[in-house]
C-alpha cells in the first residue's frame, strides 16, 4: 500500500459511503405500502417524473465504463473506435422519441415489466418471447461486469490492489459489490434513481473543470489535436499500419456510420434501458426526456476528447502489474494533472458511475428472468410476492456472476462479450419495435429471422482477429457482396429483416396460425390515469395525507 494516493482514496471512500447510505435510505423514499411486487421493487412504482427519469436514464446509459472506455478508445485507436459514440447518442433520441412512448403506453395498460412481456402479449408466442428474454439477459451480463471493471480502474490508479495477496488486492471490489448487492436488494430501482443525482452532478462537474483547465495546461487545442494526429499516423510496430485514425477516410465512412446507427438502434433494446423508461410516470415524460437527454451527448463529446488530451499530456497508463492498460488513461490523467483531492472527486464520479447502471442492469436482468423464464416456464402460478422474491434473489446472483467473471477471467473477455452483446441485442428490434406498429410479420418468421441474425453475427464476430485476441477482436467486418467494412450488428440485422419478411409471405400464404394479439390499437396511446389501468397501491405517505385531510 506504499503507492496509495491517500488523499484521493479518502475522498473516494467518503463520497462512496455517502451514496451507499443514500442507496439504503432509498427504500424509504416515496415509500409504498409494500415493496413486494415488480412494479414497486423493479420499476419504482412507475412513478418517476421528468427530472428523476432524466437523471436515472443518464445514469443508466452513460456508465462508468463509458467514462473509461470512450477516452481509452480515442487514446489508443482514434476516431472510428472512439468518437462514433457521440453521433450515436445524438441520433438515438429521435429514435426513442418515436417508439418508446408507444411501448410505455401498452406496458402501462397491460402491466408489462419487460420487452419480452410485450412480445408475448402482441404475438401470443412463448417461443419468441423466450428468445427475446434470453437475448436481453445474456447481452446484459457482460455489461454489468464492465461496470466493475470501471471501479477496478480507479482503484488501480489510486494505488489499491497492488498487494501480493489476491484477497487483499480484491477486497475493495468485494466491498463495493456487497454494498451494491445489499442496497439493490432492499431498495430496488429507487436506489439507483436517487444515487443518479449525485453521480451525474459529479460527472458534469469533473468534465467541465477538466475541459476548461487541461487544454490551457497542455498548449491549447491546436497542440492537443496535433499530438493526436501525430500519434495516430505513427506506424504500429507489430502490424506496420498506422496506430489509429485521426479523421476517418472515405473508406471508413460506412464503418463509422454503421457503428453509430447500429449502436443507436441497439441501446434501447437492452432490458435496463427499457426498465428506466417504463419506470416513468407518463408517455410525455418519455418524450420530454428524449428532448433533454442530448445534454449528456455534449458531455460525452467532451469526455471523448480527454483521450487526445492524454496524448498531449504524455499520460502513461501503466497498471500495477507493470503492463500498459489504455483503460486507465482517464483516471491516470486526472491523478497526474490535478490536486489529489480533485482526482479523488473524479475517481468517485467513475466509481459511483458504476453503481447506478450496475444496479439498474441487475434489476432489469432479474425482472427478465422472473417474468419471462421463471413465471412463464417454471411456475406459471407464481404470486406477485413470489415474483418480487425471485427477482431480488436473481439480482444477487447476476451481480455475483459479474464479480466472479471480473475476478477470474481476462478483462478482454468481458469487453469482447459486451461487443458481442451489442450484436445480439439488435436482433430483437424487429420483434419489439416493428411489433409496436404492425402485426404483419409472422411470429415464426420473426423467430427465424432472429436465429439467422444471431448466428451470422456470432460467427462473423468470432472470425474478427486483433493484436490482442484471435477471436471476437472487434465489431467490424466486411459486408458480404459489398466488401466495405461495416458494423456486424447492422449486417446481421438486415439479414434478420429480410429472412423475416420472406418467411412471413410464405407463412401468410400457407395460412399458418399467427397467434393471439392481447393488445388493442387504443392501448398504444394510453397515458397516466387511464381508467382501464389498475391503480398502483398508494404509498404510506399518501395514505397518511389522506387521513389528515379526512380528519
Amino acid at each position: 500500500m506504499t503507492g496509495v494516493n491517500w488523499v484521493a482514496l479518502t475522498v473516494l471512500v467518503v463520497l462512496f459511503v455517502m451514496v451507499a447510505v443514500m442507496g439504503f435510505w432509498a427504500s424509504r423514499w416515496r415509500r409504498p405500502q409494500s415493496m413486494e411486487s415488480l412494479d414497486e421493487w423493479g420499476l419504482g412504482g412507475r412513478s418517476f417524473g421528468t427530472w428523476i427519469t432524466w437523471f436515472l436514464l443518464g445514469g443508466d446509459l452513460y456508465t462508468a465504463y463509458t467514462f473509461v472506455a470512450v477516452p481509452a478508445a480515442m487514446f489508443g485507436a482514434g476516431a472510428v473506435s472512439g468518437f462514433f459514440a457521440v453521433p450515436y447518442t445524438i441520433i438515438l433520441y429521435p429514435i426513442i422519441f418515436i417508439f418508446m412512448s408507444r411501448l410505455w403506453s401498452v406496458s402501462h395498460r397491460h402491466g408489462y415489466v419487460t420487452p419480452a412481456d410485450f412480445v408475448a402479449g402482441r404475438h401470443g408466442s412463448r417461443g419468441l418471447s423466450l428468445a427475446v428474454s434470453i437475448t436481453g439477459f445474456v447481452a446484459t451480463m457482460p455489461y454489468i461486469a464492465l461496470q466493475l471493471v470501471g471501479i477496478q480502474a480507479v482503484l488501480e490508479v489510486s494505488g489499491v490492489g497492488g498487494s501480493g495477496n489476491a484477497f487483499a488486492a480484491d477486497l475493495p471490489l468485494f466491498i463495493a459489490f456487497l454494498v451494491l448487492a445489499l442496497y439493490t436488494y432492499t431498495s430496488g430501482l429507487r436506489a439507483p434513481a436517487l444515487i443518479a443525482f449525485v453521480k451525474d452532478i459529479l460527472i458534469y462537474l469533473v468534465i467541465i473543470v477538466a475541459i476548461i483547465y487541461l487544454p490551457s495546461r497542455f498548449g491549447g487545442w491546436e497542440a492537443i489535436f496535433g499530438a493526436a494526429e501525430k500519434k495516430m499516423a505513427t506506424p504500429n510496430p507489430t502490424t506496420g499500419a498506422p496506430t489509429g485514425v485521426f479523421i476517418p477516410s472515405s473508406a471508413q465512412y460506412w464503418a463509422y456510420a454503421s457503428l453509430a446507427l447500429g449502436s443507436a438502434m441497439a441501446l434501447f433494446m437492452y432490458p435496463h434501458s427499457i426498465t428506466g423508461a417504463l419506470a416513468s410516470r407518463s408517455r410525455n415524460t418519455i418524450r420530454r426526456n428524449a428532448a433533454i437527454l442530448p445534454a449528456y451527448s455534449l458531455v460525452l463529446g467532451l469526455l471523448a476528447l480527454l483521450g487526445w488530451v492524454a496524448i498531449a499530456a504524455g499520460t502513461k497508463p501503466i497498471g500495477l502489474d507493470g503492463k500498459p492498460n489504455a483503460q486507465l488513461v482517464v483516471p491516470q490523467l486526472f491523478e497526474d494533472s490535478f490536486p489529489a483531492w480533485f482526482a479523488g472527486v473524479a475517481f468517485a464520479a467513475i466509481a459511483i458511475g458504476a453503481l447506478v447502471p450496475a444496479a439498474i442492469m441487475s434489476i432489469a436482468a432479474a425482472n427478465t428472468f422472473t417474468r419471462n423464464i421463471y413465471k412463464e416456464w417454471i411456475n406459471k402460478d407464481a404470486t406477485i410476492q413470489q415474483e418480487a422474491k425471485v427477482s431480488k434473489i436473481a439480482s444477487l446472483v447476476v451481480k455475483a456472476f459479474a464479480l466472479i467473471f471480473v475476478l477470474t477471467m481476462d478483462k478482454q473477455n468481458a469487453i469482447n462479450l459486451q461487443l458481442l452483446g451489442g450484436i445480439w441485442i439488435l436482433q430483437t428490434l424487429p420483434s419489439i419495435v416493428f411489433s409496436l406498429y404492425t402485426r404483419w410479420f409472422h411470429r415464426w418468421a420473426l423467430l427465424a429471422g432472429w436465429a439467422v441474425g444471431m448466428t451470422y453475427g456470432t460467427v462473423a464476430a468470432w472470425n474478427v482477429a486483433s493484436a490482442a485476441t484471435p477471436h471476437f477482436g472487434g465489431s467490424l467486418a466486411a459486408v458480404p457482396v459489398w466488401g466495405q467494412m461495416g458494423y456486424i450488428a447492422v449486417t446481421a440485422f438486415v439479414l434478420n429483416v429480410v429472412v423475416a419478411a420472406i418467411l412471413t409471405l410464405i407463412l401468410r400464404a400457407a395460412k399458418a396460425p399467427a397467434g393471439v394479439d392481447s393488445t388493442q390499437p387504443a392501448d398504444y396511446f394510453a397515458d397516466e390515469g387511464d381508467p382501464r389501468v389498475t391503480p398502483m397501491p398508494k404509498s404510506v405517505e399518501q395514505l397518511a395525507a389522506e387521513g389528515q385531510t379526512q380528519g
Side-chain angles (χ1 to χ4, degrees):
M1 299 287 283
T2 55
V4 174
N5 185 335
W6 286 107
V7 174
L9 184 61
T10 300
V11 173
L12 167 62
V13 169
V14 169
L15 289 172
F16 191 90
V17 169
M18 183 182 76
V19 299
V21 172
M22 291 177 65
F24 288 108
W25 180 81
S27 64
R28 308 178 65 84
W29 177 51
R30 299 186 170 202
R31 183 173 52 182
Q33 290 173 280
S34 173
M35 289 284 283
E36 300 305 312
S37 72
L38 292 188
D39 271 340
E40 287 295 346
W41 182 82
L43 290 179
R46 302 182 191 252
S47 62
F48 296 154
T50 300
W51 288 111
I52 296 175
T53 302
W54 187 70
F55 279 105
L56 179 66
L57 286 176
D60 183 18
L61 305 180
Y62 298 87
T63 67
Y65 187 66
T66 303
F67 204 115
V68 168
V70 172
M74 292 287 285
F75 177 85
V80 172
S81 298
F83 211 74
F84 83 90
V86 178
Y88 117 57
T89 59
I90 293 172
I91 62 178
L92 163 69
Y93 298 113
I95 294 174
I96 65 169
F97 184 91
I98 294 170
F99 83 83
M100 187 54 71
S101 59
R102 291 178 67 91
L103 181 59
W104 183 94
S105 290
V106 71
S107 300
H108 180 72
R109 168 69 179 84
H110 290 274
Y112 297 148
V113 175
T114 69
D117 282 350
F118 163 69
V119 170
R122 182 63 154 158
H123 293 282
S125 173
R126 297 174 72 205
L128 184 59
S129 173
L130 181 65
V132 170
S133 61
I134 290 178
T135 304
F137 187 87
V138 173
T140 301
M141 295 298 289
Y143 226 148
I144 301 172
L146 288 180
Q147 307 316 308
L148 299 180
V149 170
I151 296 178
Q152 273 190 322
V154 297
L155 291 174
E156 192 164 350
V157 172
S158 62
V160 178
S163 170
N165 184 295
F167 177 77
D170 294 326
L171 181 61
L173 198 61
F174 275 107
I175 295 173
F177 162 79
L178 184 62
V179 170
L180 170 66
L182 291 177
Y183 76 61
T184 304
Y185 186 90
T186 58
S187 303
L189 195 65
R190 286 173 170 81
L194 195 59
I195 293 173
F197 283 88
V198 177
K199 174 255 185 184
D200 291 350
I201 290 170
L202 285 176
I203 283 184
Y204 270 94
L205 171 66
V206 167
I207 296 301
I208 291 171
V209 170
I211 215 69
I212 292 173
Y213 169 71
L214 291 178
S216 63
R217 175 169 177 175
F218 298 115
W221 286 110
E222 182 178 0
I224 290 168
F225 287 132
E229 184 176 19
K230 181 179 179 180
K231 177 182 177 179
M232 294 302 125
T234 303
N236 184 306
T238 303
T239 64
T243 297
V245 177
F246 181 67
I247 296 177
S249 66
S250 58
Q252 296 164 317
Y253 285 172
W254 177 243
Y256 186 85
S258 61
L259 274 169
L261 178 61
S263 300
M265 294 166 63
L267 184 57
F268 265 83
M269 298 300 101
Y270 281 100
H272 63 91
S273 302
I274 292 177
T275 294
L278 295 186
S280 60
R281 180 183 299 156
S282 68
R283 60 187 281 122
N284 282 335
T285 298
I286 300 292
R287 292 185 168 184
R288 282 192 291 268
N289 270 273
I292 60 179
L293 274 168
Y296 283 95
S297 299
L298 171 63
V299 174
L300 180 62
L302 300 177
L303 171 65
L305 291 177
L306 292 182
W308 284 356
V309 172
I311 295 174
T315 303
K316 304 295 183 185
I318 306 296
L320 294 175
D321 57 2
K323 298 178 181 179
N325 181 357
Q327 305 294 328
L328 306 180
V329 69
V330 164
Q332 191 65 58
L333 174 65
F334 277 93
E335 184 176 58
D336 294 345
S337 306
F338 285 99
W341 69 268
F342 191 80
V345 173
F347 295 168
I350 298 174
I352 297 169
L355 295 182
V356 174
I360 302 171
M361 290 170 189
S362 65
I363 289 170
N367 289 347
T368 299
F369 171 80
T370 301
R371 286 296 287 260
N372 308 118
I373 298 176
Y374 173 75
K375 184 169 184 177
E376 187 64 35
W377 296 89
I378 301 173
N379 183 7
K380 293 183 71 67
D381 298 322
T383 65
I384 292 174
Q385 292 76 17
Q386 287 174 326
E387 284 183 4
K389 183 177 181 180
V390 169
S391 197
K392 288 180 179 181
I393 295 172
S395 74
L396 297 178
V397 173
V398 164
K399 286 188 282 287
F401 177 84
L403 180 65
I404 293 170
F405 190 97
V406 169
L407 295 179
T408 60
M409 298 184 69
D410 190 281
K411 295 180 183 64
Q412 187 62 43
N413 291 324
I415 295 171
N416 293 343
L417 286 175
Q418 196 275 326
L419 294 174
L420 193 59
I423 296 169
W424 288 342
I425 201 67
L426 184 56
Q427 308 318 310
T428 65
L429 187 146
S431 299
I432 300 171
V433 178
F434 291 3
S435 299
L436 288 169
Y437 294 91
T438 179
R439 283 193 84 237
W440 182 81
F441 286 94
H442 195 279
R443 55 181 178 163
W444 298 344
L446 286 170
L447 185 59
W450 166 85
V452 169
M454 292 284 286
T455 302
Y456 171 83
T458 304
V459 172
W462 168 267
N463 290 328
V464 176
S466 69
T469 175
H471 303 293
F472 300 123
S475 300
L476 298 173
V479 179
V481 181
W482 188 18
Q484 285 274 7
M485 295 295 287
Y487 186 24
I488 294 169
V490 173
T491 308
F493 171 75
V494 171
L495 292 173
N496 181 344
V497 174
V498 169
V499 169
I502 293 173
L503 286 180
T504 294
L505 292 172
I506 296 172
L507 291 167
R508 295 290 182 199
K511 300 187 183 302
V516 177
D517 181 7
S518 62
T519 69
Q520 300 176 5
D523 296 344
Y524 297 89
F525 301 94
D527 206 347
E528 181 183 14
D530 191 303
R532 297 172 299 165
V533 178
T534 303
M536 291 294 301
K538 294 181 179 179
S539 68
V540 174
E541 289 82 357
Q542 287 173 320
L543 291 172
E546 289 177 3
Q548 293 173 359
T549 302
Q550 293 170 359

